[in-house]
């Protein structure tokens, strides 16, 4: 179990980094293969801005 420097990686070990990489790649591949329509960028940005605006008010 090789230790990684926090300056180089957010993971403590190479095993953690490799496990995350495998999980992330599987998620991306599944989404690319999905037939479900994506959310338009402008819609996502508008929704995120609304969340940020609500938090700034509260």
């Amino acid at each position: 179990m090789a230790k990684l420097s926090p300056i180089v990686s957010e993971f403590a070990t190479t095993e953690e980094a490799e496990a995350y990489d495998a999980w992330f790649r599987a998620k991306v591949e599944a989404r690319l293969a999905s037939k479900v329509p994506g959310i338009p960028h402008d819609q996502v940005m508008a929704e995120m801005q609304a969340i940020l605006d609500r938090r700034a008010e509260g």
Side-chain angles (χ1 to χ4, degrees):
M1 181 164 37
K3 297 280 186 184
L4 298 176
S5 166
I7 295 172
V8 176
S9 175
E10 65 184 278
F11 301 101
T13 66
T14 54
E15 288 81 7
E16 287 179 12
E18 289 168 357
Y20 176 81
D21 184 66
W23 170 83
F24 186 78
R25 288 176 184 273
K27 289 287 190 178
V28 170
E29 288 172 11
R31 180 60 189 123
L32 289 173
S34 174
K35 301 298 182 206
V36 176
I39 302 170
H41 176 76
D42 291 342
Q43 179 182 343
V44 172
M45 295 307 292
E47 291 174 10
M48 290 306 303
Q49 189 61 55
I51 291 169
L52 293 171
D53 292 345
R54 282 194 306 270
R55 287 185 175 249
E57 293 170 0

